[in-house]
Amino acid sequence: MIRSLRTGVSGLLSHQNRLDVVSNNITNANTVAFKRSRTAFSEMLAQELTGVGRSGSENSNAAFIGNGVAVSSIDKNWQQGSYEFTDIRTDLALNGDGFFLAEKDGRNVLTRAGNFTFNDDGQLVTAGGLALQGYGVDANGDIDTSQTQGITLDLAARDEPQFTNIAEVAGNLSSDTPQWTPADTDADGLTTALDAPASSRNTVSTAIYDEQGQAHNLLITVAKTDTGPNDWLWSVEDPDGVLVDPAPGTNGVAHGDLTFNVDGSVNTLTATEGAVGDFDGDGTDDGPQLSWDPNFVTGGPTVDIDFRQNLTQYGGSTTALVRDQNGYAAGELSSYRFDKQGRLVMSFTNGQKRYAGQLALGTVNNPQGLEQMGDNLYGETLLSGTLNIGRSG
């Protein structure tokens, strides 16, 4: 009788534990990143009543009476959950294995809950105020993975201006452009592309930026001549007079000759006045080089006007333009977001984007062995294995 009562009580206690687990799962149905648990049962060690040699027959099977049921384990279900989309830029979710890392009492703790915010110091924190861990950026603005640190956003961040040091002319100069007999039409003693009639002349312009981020207009003119079927003149102007050509007396102006091969690629580029340079180191001159320094100090800031890399002479339309220049004005922080790699991307009013950091992720070999610490936090234990820290992807 006593044994049967104990067996029944073991069932009651075990199923009470199961009900507690189910109740906890239901209670946390709306908890961010909650992982439900399940209860696994196992029978308790049975008592042997009769066995070999005890019933008088060596062929008889042993007889056992079970002693009830016990809870063998309570396991977390770490299967990927569903996503809930919000309009909050600091709400994040993980796809796949891994945990966000936060710092608590000098140790790393893990969480799947991504309802983060920035505190009054601009530091990214959990709902409980713990600092999230990640990687900072180096002097070049790249993610620095040498050590983990907090993720901080400076809402007063500014992006410094970048002066233009290269402008690339790309596209096609139509081989059907009417030819022009070079002549000095403005009595300045120079025959340049600027002297050509509109029918033989093509001009493109772009804004370029000095060291203070001030914009200036750059005009590039090419004109087809009758000295050969593939011959052109080029001219580069700075109407603001800020750029300086190294040739004396040609402030802000450089000009010369441009020829194409029969296959439409650039053949030669020379300067009548000014300097041309080999910008890519392949042994050929790519275009004029002007100085931002009024004294044209050697080694000072310059802007390279690249004609060679992507300029062609084919039949059809003229599509040449300044495809790219790498300068920009100063900018104020306009917005921020986290990308799919967990990088905090800052966007500025000058169109530039910069990284402020990247969230670190942690994994363990046995998530079932993690310590449940409350507040959606888990701690590393001997059973969970060593915490491995890395990045998304």
Side-chain angles (χ1 to χ4, degrees), residues 40-272:
F41 295 148
S42 64
E43 63 177 345
M44 299 178 67
L45 179 65
Q47 179 178 353
E48 183 179 357
L49 292 182
T50 61
V52 177
R54 297 184 58 184
S55 62
S57 172
E58 294 183 356
N59 296 322
S60 62
N61 294 323
F64 295 92
I65 292 182
N67 285 322
V69 65
V71 174
S72 61
S73 66
I74 299 176
D75 304 317
K76 284 284 185 184
N77 183 351
W78 294 106
Q79 185 177 0
Q80 179 70 48
S82 60
Y83 297 113
E84 178 182 349
F85 292 94
T86 72
D87 292 326
I88 302 175
R89 286 176 288 182
T90 52
D91 278 354
L92 305 175
L94 292 176
N95 179 21
D97 297 333
F99 298 85
F100 296 111
L101 299 181
E103 184 180 29
K104 181 177 183 180
D105 300 329
R107 63 176 288 199
N108 283 323
V109 292
L110 295 78
T111 182
R112 292 281 296 190
N115 52 330
F116 305 137
T117 57
F118 286 107
N119 63 15
D120 54 357
D121 294 324
Q123 192 168 35
L124 189 68
V125 296
T126 66
L130 300 181
L132 271 296
Q133 297 299 291
Y135 304 104
V137 295
D138 58 23
N140 296 322
D142 299 321
I143 301 298
D144 179 9
T145 59
S146 61
Q147 62 180 359
T148 57
Q149 61 182 52
I151 302 295
T152 302
L153 176 67
D154 180 8
L155 293 177
R158 288 176 54 87
D159 188 47
E160 296 182 357
Q162 164 68 47
F163 74 89
T164 301
N165 58 26
I166 189 163
E168 180 185 352
V169 182
N172 184 57
L173 295 175
S174 176
S175 60
D176 302 324
T177 302
Q179 293 179 319
W180 157 70
T181 301
D184 181 14
T185 60
D186 52 13
D188 61 359
L190 299 173
T191 300
T192 70
L194 301 174
D195 296 311
S199 60
S200 300
R201 185 178 69 235
N202 294 284
T203 300
V204 296
S205 64
T206 186
I208 58 175
Y209 297 85
D210 61 24
E211 291 183 281
Q212 296 182 354
Q214 296 293 324
H216 303 278
N217 196 27
L218 183 71
L219 299 178
I220 301 171
T221 302
V222 292
K224 191 172 185 182
T225 71
D226 61 1
T227 56
N230 302 310
D231 294 353
W232 297 70
L233 294 182
W234 61 265
S235 177
V236 176
E237 298 176 272
D238 166 28
D240 295 338
V242 177
L243 290 175
V244 179
D245 192 282
T250 57
N251 182 35
V253 178
H255 58 92
D257 302 307
L258 173 65
T259 66
F260 290 88
N261 296 306
V262 293
D263 65 357
S265 61
V266 175
N267 180 22
T268 62
L269 188 143
T270 59
T272 303

Side-chain angles (χ1 to χ4, degrees), residues 368-386:
Q368 298 292 349
L370 291 171
E371 172 192 3
Q372 292 185 236
M373 304 173 63
D375 294 329
N376 295 324
L377 301 176
Y378 301 92
E380 177 187 0
T381 68
L382 291 176
L383 291 177
S384 68
T386 302

